[in-house]
C-alpha cells in the first residue's frame, strides 16, 4: 500500500519518545485497540497495528462516516447545490408524508447536521437493514416518524439524520455519496480503499458504513487541521471546516467527560481544545490544533473514554515536548512501525485427556442460532480444530497456538477474514478467540468438558445489543 503522509521521528517533530511510549503502553493495556497513528506537524511520528490487525487493511468506521458526510454537505454548499437553511422536505419532496406536522415542515439541513431534528430518539431504530427491500424507502420511513420537539432546540444523537443528508445529496447530485466525494476529496487525499455500505435503493448509508485505512483516517484529520487545504489546494471550504468543528449545540449530560463539550456539524468537541470524528467501539480521528497533532485509532472497545484519556495522559505534561536538533531533523526516513500484537489465550497447546475428546460428536441442545453439534479435532498441521454443525452445515474452525492463525469463516453468516488462537486453560477447558479482521468484532469461545457433557459459551467482545452468541450444553453421541 502506498503511503499518503510523510514519515518523521518524535524528536524531529518536537515530541519526546517517552511521551509516545506512554501513549502506546496505555493503548496496549486497554488490549482491544487495533491500530494507532500519530501525526505531528503533518508527519507520522508513530504508527502500528496490533497483529493480526494490519495498517493496510480498511477498517469499519461506523460513525466516523458522519464526518465524511458532513464534509460532502460542505462541498455541496460551496458548489451552490443547497444551503444549511434549506428545509428538508423541500429537498426530499417525494419522501414527505401526506400531511407533515409543523415541526417536520420546520426541519432544516442545519438541524440534520447538528442532531437537533426534534426527534426524541434515533430514527434508525425502526429500520431493519437486513430485511428492507428496494423501494421501501429509508428516507420515507424516517420522515414518517413523529417529530415531538421544535427542530434546533434539543440534541438527540440520531443516525437517521445523517442518512437524510446522504439521501439529499444523492437526489441533488444523481450519484452516490462515495462517488461524489471521490474526485473532490478522497482521490486528492490519496484515499483509494474507501467502501461505503448502501441501503436497498443504492443510497450510501451516510451515518455509518464507511471503511478506510488508519492512514486514510489520519489524512482526513490533517486536512481539517489545515483548514481544508491539502497540498496547496482548498478541498473543503475553510469556513465549513471552522463551522463543522466548532460547538454548534450543547450535548450531554454524560459521565464521559469528552462527551460533554458540544457538537458541531457531525464532529464532536473534546476537552483541551480538540475535536474528533467518533465511531462506535473506538474508531477515532482526534484533531488537536493546540499541539498541531492528529491521533487516529481503530479498536473494538466498550470502554470508549479510555482512548482520549490515554492521549491526554501521554501529552498533557511538560516533559512530553522536546526541542529538535539539526541531527534529529536529518532523519527523514522516520521510525519503524511499532511491533504490537493482541494477546493470544494463555494455557497449554494440548490436554492430557485429549484422546478421550478428539473425534467425539456432541449433540447440542436446541438454540436460536441453529448450532446442533460440535466435535473436537486436530488438523493435518497439528492445529486444534472445533467443527460446528450449523443449520446442517459443518463449519470447521482451526485455532493457532501462541500465534494468530489466518483464515476465512462463515461463523456469523457471510464469509469473513478472521484470525484465531486457542489454548487449554486447564485439562478440561479450551478457550479461543476469533478476530474478524477489519472490524471491531471478535468471538470468545469457551468449551468446558465433563464426562459425557460439554458446556459451550460464545460471546462477542462488543455489540449494539446482547453480546451473547451461544450458551448451550451438549452430550456425547455414542454409537
Amino acid at each position: 500500500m502506498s503511503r499518503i503522509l510523510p514519515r518523521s521521528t518524535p524528536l524531529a517533530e518536537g515530541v519526546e519518545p517517552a511521551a509516545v511510549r506512554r501513549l502506546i503502553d496505555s493503548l496496549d493495556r486497554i488490549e482491544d485497540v487495533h491500530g494507532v497513528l500519530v501525526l505531528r506537524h503533518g508527519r507520522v511520528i508513530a504508527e502500528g497495528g496490533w497483529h493480526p490487525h494490519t495498517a493496510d487493511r480498511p477498517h469499519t468506521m461506523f460513525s466516523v462516516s458522519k464526518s465524511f458526510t458532513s464534509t460532502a454537505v460542505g462541498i455541496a454548499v460551496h458548489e451552490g447545490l443547497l444551503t444549511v437553511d434549506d428545509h428538508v422536505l423541500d429537498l426530499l419532496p417525494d419522501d414527505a408524508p401526506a400531511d407533515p406536522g409543523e415541526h417536520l415542515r420546520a426541519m432544516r439541513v442545519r438541524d440534520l447536521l447538528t442532531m437537533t431534528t426534534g426527534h426524541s430518539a434515533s430514527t434508525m431504530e425502526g429500520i431493519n437493514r437486513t430485511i428492507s427491500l428496494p423501494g421501501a424507502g429509508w428516507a420515507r420511513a424516517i420522515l414518517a416518524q413523529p417529530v415531538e420537539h421544535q427542530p434546533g432546540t434539543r440534541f438527540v444523537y440520531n443516525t437517521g439524520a445523517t442518512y437524510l443528508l446522504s439521501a439529499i445529496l444523492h437526489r441533488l447530485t444523481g450519484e452516490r455519496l462515495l462517488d461524489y466525494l471521490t474526485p473532490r476529496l478522497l482521490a486528492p487525499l490519496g484515499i483509494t480503499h474507501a467502501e461505503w455500505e448502501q441501503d436497498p435503493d443504492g443510497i450510501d448509508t451516510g451515518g455509518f458504513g464507511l471503511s478506510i485505512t488508519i492512514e486514510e483516517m489520519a489524512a482526513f484529520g490533517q486536512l481539517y487541521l489545515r483548514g481544508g487545504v491539502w497540498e496547496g489546494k482548498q478541498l473543503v471550504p475553510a469556513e465549513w471546516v471552522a463551522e463543522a468543528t466548532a460547538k454548534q449545540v450543547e450535548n450531554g449530560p454524560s459521565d464521559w467527560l469528552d462527551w460533554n463539550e458540544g457538537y458541531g456539524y457531525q464532529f464532536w468537541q473534546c476537552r483541551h481544545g480538540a475535536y474528533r470524528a467518533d465511531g462506535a467501539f473506538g474508531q477515532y480521528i482526534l484533531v488537536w490544533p493546540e499541539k498541531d497533532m492528529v491521533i487516529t485509532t481503530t479498536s473494538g472497545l466498550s470502554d470508549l473514554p479510555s482512548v482520549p484519556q490515554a492521549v491526554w495522559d501521554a501529552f498533557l505534561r511538560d516533559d512530553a515536548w522536546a526541542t529538535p536538533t539539526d541531527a534529529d531533523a536529518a532523519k527523514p526516513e522516520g521510525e519503524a512501525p511499532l511491533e504490537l500484537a493482541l494477546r493470544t489465550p494463555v494455557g497449554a497447546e494440548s490436554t492430557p485427556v485429549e484422546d478421550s475428546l478428539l473425534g467425539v460428536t456432541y449433540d447440542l441442545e436446541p438454540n436460536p442460532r441453529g448450532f446442533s453439534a460440535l466435535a473436537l479435532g486436530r488438523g493435518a498441521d497439528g492445529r486444534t480444530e472445533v467443527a460446528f454443525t450449523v443449520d446442517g452445515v459443518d463449519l470447521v474452525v482451526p485455532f493457532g497456538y501462541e500465534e494468530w492463525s489466518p483464515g476465512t469463516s462463515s461463523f456469523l453468516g457471510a464469509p469473513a477474514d478472521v484470525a484465531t488462537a486457542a489454548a487449554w486453560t486447564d485439562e478440561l477447558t479450551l478457550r479461543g478467540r476469533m478476530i474478524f479482521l477489519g472490524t471491531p468484532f471478535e468471538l470468545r469461545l469457551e468449551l468446558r468438558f465433563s464426562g459425557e457433557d460439554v458446556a459451550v459459551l460464545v460471546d462477542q467482545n462488543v455489540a449494539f445489543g446482547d453480546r451473547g452468541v451461544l450458551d448451550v450444553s451438549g452430550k456425547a453421541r455414542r454409537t
Side-chain angles (χ1 to χ4, degrees), residues 1-15:
M1 183 187 73
S2 61
R3 290 178 167 182
I4 299 172
L5 297 158
R7 266 58 180 175
S8 185
T9 65
L11 280 176
E13 306 308 323
V15 179

Side-chain angles (χ1 to χ4, degrees), residues 157-237:
Y157 193 70
N158 181 2
T159 295
T162 320
Y163 171 80
L164 291 178
L165 293 170
S166 179
I168 288 168
L169 291 177
H170 190 100
R171 177 178 175 272
L172 293 176
T173 66
E175 57 185 345
R176 59 182 297 202
L177 183 60
L178 183 63
D179 292 338
Y180 177 74
L181 277 177
T182 294
R184 294 165 173 83
L185 179 81
L186 304 182
L189 290 180
I191 297 177
T192 59
H193 297 81
E195 297 181 358
W196 211 315
E197 185 179 343
Q198 296 174 279
D199 78 353
D201 293 311
I203 298 173
D204 289 1
T205 51
F208 60 94
L210 178 66
S211 295
I212 56 176
T213 69
I214 195 167
E215 186 170 354
E216 292 167 345
M217 296 168 70
F220 180 74
Q222 182 66 21
L223 172 73
Y224 265 78
L225 183 62
R226 291 292 177 261
V229 174
W230 186 264
E231 295 181 344
K233 297 180 65 175
Q234 191 79 46
L235 301 185
V236 183

Side-chain angles (χ1 to χ4, degrees), residues 129 284 288 367 418 455:
R129 300 196 300 275
Y284 289 119
W288 197 357
N367 59 84
V418 299

Side-chain angles (χ1 to χ4, degrees), residues 122-411:
S122 175
T123 52
M124 291 298 291
E125 298 303 321
I127 297 177
N128 187 331
R129 300 196 300 275
T130 63
I131 63 172
S132 294
L133 300 174
W138 283 16
R140 190 175 304 117
I142 292 169
L143 293 173
Q145 297 183 44
V147 183
E148 297 92 338
H149 309 280
Q150 179 68 27
T153 63
R154 188 169 185 261
F155 176 89
V156 172
Y157 193 70
N158 181 2
T159 295
T162 320
Y163 171 80
L164 291 178
L165 293 170
S166 179
I168 288 168
L169 291 177
H170 190 100
R171 177 178 175 272
L172 293 176
T173 66
E175 57 185 345
R176 59 182 297 202
L177 183 60
L178 183 63
D179 292 338
Y180 177 74
L181 277 177
T182 294
R184 294 165 173 83
L185 179 81
L186 304 182
L189 290 180
I191 297 177
T192 59
H193 297 81
E195 297 181 358
W196 211 315
E197 185 179 343
Q198 296 174 279
D199 78 353
D201 293 311
I203 298 173
D204 289 1
T205 51
F208 60 94
L210 178 66
S211 295
I212 56 176
T213 69
I214 195 167
E215 186 170 354
E216 292 167 345
M217 296 168 70
F220 180 74
Q222 182 66 21
L223 172 73
Y224 265 78
L225 183 62
R226 291 292 177 261
V229 174
W230 186 264
E231 295 181 344
K233 297 180 65 175
Q234 191 79 46
L235 301 185
V236 183
E239 60 272 20
W240 186 266
V241 171
E243 291 179 21
T245 61
K247 180 179 178 179
Q248 296 289 338
V249 296
E250 297 282 352
N251 69 304
S254 173
D255 293 334
W256 300 344
L257 297 178
D258 284 299
W259 277 255
N260 282 315
E261 297 296 309
Y263 195 73
Y265 292 164
Q266 311 279 294
F267 284 87
W268 296 85
Q269 296 287 294
C270 301
R271 291 175 291 165
H272 313 300
Y275 58 87
R276 70 186 186 278
D278 183 328
F281 313 124
Q283 324 317 313
Y284 289 119
I285 304 173
L286 195 155
V287 182
W288 197 357
E290 178 185 328
K291 303 298 185 184
D292 200 23
M293 296 183 78
V294 176
I295 299 99
T296 57
T297 63
T298 54
S299 310
L301 299 174
S302 55
D303 182 10
L304 299 180
S306 60
V307 170
Q309 190 60 52
V311 173
W312 312 141
D313 290 345
F315 297 113
L316 280 175
R317 296 169 47 154
D318 292 341
D319 64 0
W321 310 104
T323 301
T325 67
D326 292 341
D328 296 327
K331 299 176 181 177
E333 72 280 1
E335 302 280 0
L338 299 161
E339 295 185 4
L340 305 162
L342 298 180
R343 297 167 182 81
T344 59
V346 176
E349 185 174 10
S350 61
T351 170
V353 298
E354 187 171 279
D355 289 345
S356 66
L357 302 176
L358 293 181
V360 178
T361 298
Y362 294 83
D363 292 313
L364 305 180
E365 61 189 10
N367 59 84
R369 294 279 187 172
F371 286 75
S372 59
L374 71 81
L376 197 65
R378 281 205 176 271
D381 56 4
R383 290 184 296 174
T384 297
E385 295 181 343
V386 182
F388 291 91
T389 303
V390 187
D391 294 327
V393 177
D394 290 335
L395 297 178
V396 178
V397 181
F399 289 93
Y401 175 68
E402 294 186 337
E403 64 179 4
W404 293 102
S405 175
T408 303
S409 176
S410 301
F411 201 91

Side-chain angles (χ1 to χ4, degrees), residues 428-443:
L428 296 173
T429 304
L430 179 70
R431 288 197 175 100
R433 298 177 69 181
M434 178 185 290
I435 308 294
F436 287 78
L437 301 175
T439 83
F441 303 118
E442 73 168 88
L443 296 180

